[in-house]
Amino acid sequence: MIRVLLAEDQTMVRGALASLLNLEPDIEVVAQVSRGDEVAAAAAASVPDVALLDIEMPGRTGLDAADELARALPGCRILILTTFGRPGYLRRAMEGGAAGFLLKDAPASELASAIRRAVAGERVVDPGLAAAALSQGESPLTPREHEVLRASRQHATVADLAQALYLSPGTVRNHLSSAMQKLDARNRGEAVRMAEEQGWL
Amino acid sequence: MIRVLLAEDQTMVRGALASLLNLEPDIEVVAQVSRGDEVAAAAAASVPDVALLDIEMPGRTGLDAADELARALPGCRILILTTFGRPGYLRRAMEGGAAGFLLKDAPASELASAIRRAVAGERVVDPGLAAAALSQGESPLTPREHEVLRASRQHATVADLAQALYLSPGTVRNHLSSAMQKLDARNRGEAVRMAEEQGWL
DNA sequence: GGTCGCCCGTGACGTTTGTCACCCTGCATT
DNA sequence: AATGCAGGGTGACAAACGTCACGGGCGACC
């Protein structure tokens, strides 16, 4: 019996996926959570063989939850399940030790087989998505530029940003400026959008 | 036997919902579509008792599809199923003749009972959502402010924005400024974020 | 007819932003 | 030892942004 942990924020979708999986004779959903920051505790309590994580969840991203889970329960296979085919997500997920990456656009029948293949030690990735990821390449941003751009989503002004990051305002503007040049954006906002679209944030 | 049409763009979610519904002894999913503009044709072919429509679909919005369906098959009950608790959606859906409005955040078990109640002639609205719609109130933005703020997500500079909306740059800045004041934001970006959080965009 | 809100526009003003040149420190590469 | 790059910082500058006061037009409402 394959023990599965299911993390997905939309209750109805989560319930539907659970009932779908429970129809399989060799699969059992042993834990369900709706928030990313509940994954680790639930996994510790239920010790699943496979964790099926949505990316977009309150509390913590599925990707972050995957990192945490990989450290806490190294034996647990991780499958990322998400809506968007953002190549950056795929890269991060696979680098973070995920065993597979599934799209909600894939047929429902693939879910069970992906779980079985993950348990068997295979890596499961949607072929079209993998191709897109390879064609796209790495983020051109340095770690600091990435951090500043990321933080700029939540802090309105440069002054705020500088205070939050313990940097001088001038430095923040320099980082932002070079990030914008690399992304060919005319704006902080545009830079954020472009980086998000590329899956670099 | 209650005949159900299921319209939802994410294949896996649609499949999971279908299997969930087919577990019910008195419910049968007789048609599944992934696009809003396929709803009418599929309904004409299968003559369902209830149509379960997601709002966000390619081709046509679930709300638009509901309007079309209500004219084509007046006997068919319509349930709107969606992620967001946007009060505006609820309002439009109910005014458009929908029999109910369900959230994907609701428990999966409510789905079947909502379908049965819809067939029985009841109006089904998630209580939490109805409360939210009442408590949240209307957006304070005028139509123009809303439009400008919305467009500002895709156009970086005021000049771009003005050109796209066929307005003078000064007018655009005035609209943005008053929107920012109403939202208590210090920024275009902050205003966009706050409006999005409130479901006003 | 008057008032109000929304819409569109102009001009001015101070602030913030984005860019650039230039400084310095580390660290890894050559 | 020299070079390059990421990081941190300063100072200056033009451009863009946000605010305000003010003008006009239009429709709704009393």
Side-chain angles (χ1 to χ4, degrees):
Chain A
M1 205 64 153
I2 302 175
R3 300 166 60 81
V4 175
L5 177 148
L6 192 53
E8 152 73 48
D9 62 331
Q10 293 175 6
T11 308
M12 191 168 291
V13 175
R14 189 174 70 247
L17 289 174
S19 90
L20 188 67
L21 289 176
N22 280 329
L23 288 181
E24 304 291 328
D26 57 339
I27 294 178
E28 182 186 9
V29 176
V30 295
Q32 294 187 32
V33 299
S34 63
R35 300 176 51 85
D37 49 12
E38 291 171 355
V39 170
S46 59
V47 197
D49 302 309
V50 177
L52 195 61
L53 308 180
D54 188 18
I55 288 190
E56 288 154 343
M57 279 186 292
R60 185 165 305 166
T61 298
L63 296 175
D64 292 336
D67 292 341
E68 192 183 5
L69 190 54
R71 281 194 303 275
L73 256 78
C76 177
R77 293 268 159 188
I78 296 170
L79 284 175
I80 301 292
L81 176 68
T82 191
T83 307
F84 304 113
R86 304 276 173 80
Y89 284 169
L90 200 170
R91 179 181 299 270
R92 237 204 90 189
M94 298 316 272
E95 284 171 353
F101 200 94
L102 292 173
L103 288 184
K104 288 185 182 172
D105 286 326
S109 56
E110 277 193 19
L111 185 55
S113 79
I115 289 177
R116 293 194 191 96
R117 284 161 60 192
V119 170
E122 282 184 64
R123 290 211 142 192
V124 186
V125 177
D126 185 286
L129 191 56
L134 292 176
S135 71
Q136 182 175 27
E138 201 64 43
S139 163
L141 303 177
T142 69
R144 221 36 176 167
E145 287 161 1
H146 175 269
E147 185 183 357
V148 173
L149 194 58
R150 195 177 159 76
S152 80
R153 294 184 299 178
Q154 290 169 348
H155 299 273
T157 70
V158 172
D160 271 24
L161 219 48
Q163 217 167 1
L165 299 171
Y166 302 104
L167 288 176
S168 138
T171 304
V172 170
R173 285 198 297 168
N174 285 336
H175 281 308
L176 284 175
S177 181
S178 79
M180 292 187 305
Q181 281 180 311
K182 287 178 181 176
L183 297 173
D184 195 26
R186 288 168 299 175
N187 241 334
R188 226 174 312 180
E190 202 175 35
V192 167
R193 277 203 311 275
M194 299 179 103
E196 276 177 343
E197 279 172 14
Q198 300 292 323
W200 289 337
L201 268 198
Chain B
M1 204 65 153
I2 303 174
R3 302 167 58 81
V4 175
L5 178 148
L6 191 53
E8 152 72 49
D9 62 333
Q10 293 175 4
T11 309
M12 190 167 293
V13 174
R14 189 174 68 246
L17 289 174
S19 89
L20 188 68
L21 288 177
N22 279 331
L23 288 181
E24 304 289 330
D26 56 338
I27 294 179
E28 181 186 11
V29 176
V30 295
Q32 295 188 31
V33 299
S34 62
R35 302 176 49 87
D37 49 12
E38 292 170 355
V39 169
S46 60
V47 197
D49 302 309
V50 177
L52 196 59
L53 308 180
D54 188 19
I55 288 189
E56 288 155 342
M57 280 186 291
R60 185 165 304 166
T61 298
L63 296 174
D64 292 336
D67 292 342
E68 191 184 5
L69 190 54
R71 281 194 303 274
L73 257 78
C76 176
R77 294 269 160 187
I78 297 171
L79 284 176
I80 301 293
L81 176 67
T82 192
T83 307
F84 304 112
R86 305 276 174 79
Y89 284 168
L90 199 168
R91 182 183 305 267
R92 233 205 93 187
M94 298 316 272
E95 284 170 355
F101 200 95
L102 292 174
L103 287 185
K104 288 184 183 173
D105 286 326
S109 56
E110 279 193 18
L111 185 55
S113 79
I115 289 178
R116 294 196 191 94
R117 284 161 58 193
V119 170
E122 283 184 62
R123 289 212 142 191
V124 185
V125 175
D126 185 288
L129 184 57
L134 292 176
S135 75
Q136 184 177 24
E138 227 25 64
S139 160
L141 303 177
T142 69
R144 220 39 176 166
E145 287 160 0
H146 175 269
E147 186 182 358
V148 173
L149 195 58
R150 193 176 162 77
S152 80
R153 294 184 300 178
Q154 290 169 348
H155 299 271
T157 70
V158 172
D160 271 24
L161 220 49
Q163 215 166 3
L165 298 171
Y166 302 102
L167 288 175
S168 138
T171 304
V172 171
R173 288 197 297 170
N174 285 337
H175 281 309
L176 285 175
S177 180
S178 80
M180 292 187 304
Q181 283 181 308
K182 288 178 180 175
L183 297 173
D184 195 24
R186 287 169 299 175
N187 242 333
R188 225 174 313 180
E190 202 175 37
V192 168
R193 278 204 310 276
M194 299 178 101
E196 276 177 343
E197 281 173 13
Q198 299 291 325
W200 288 337
L201 268 196

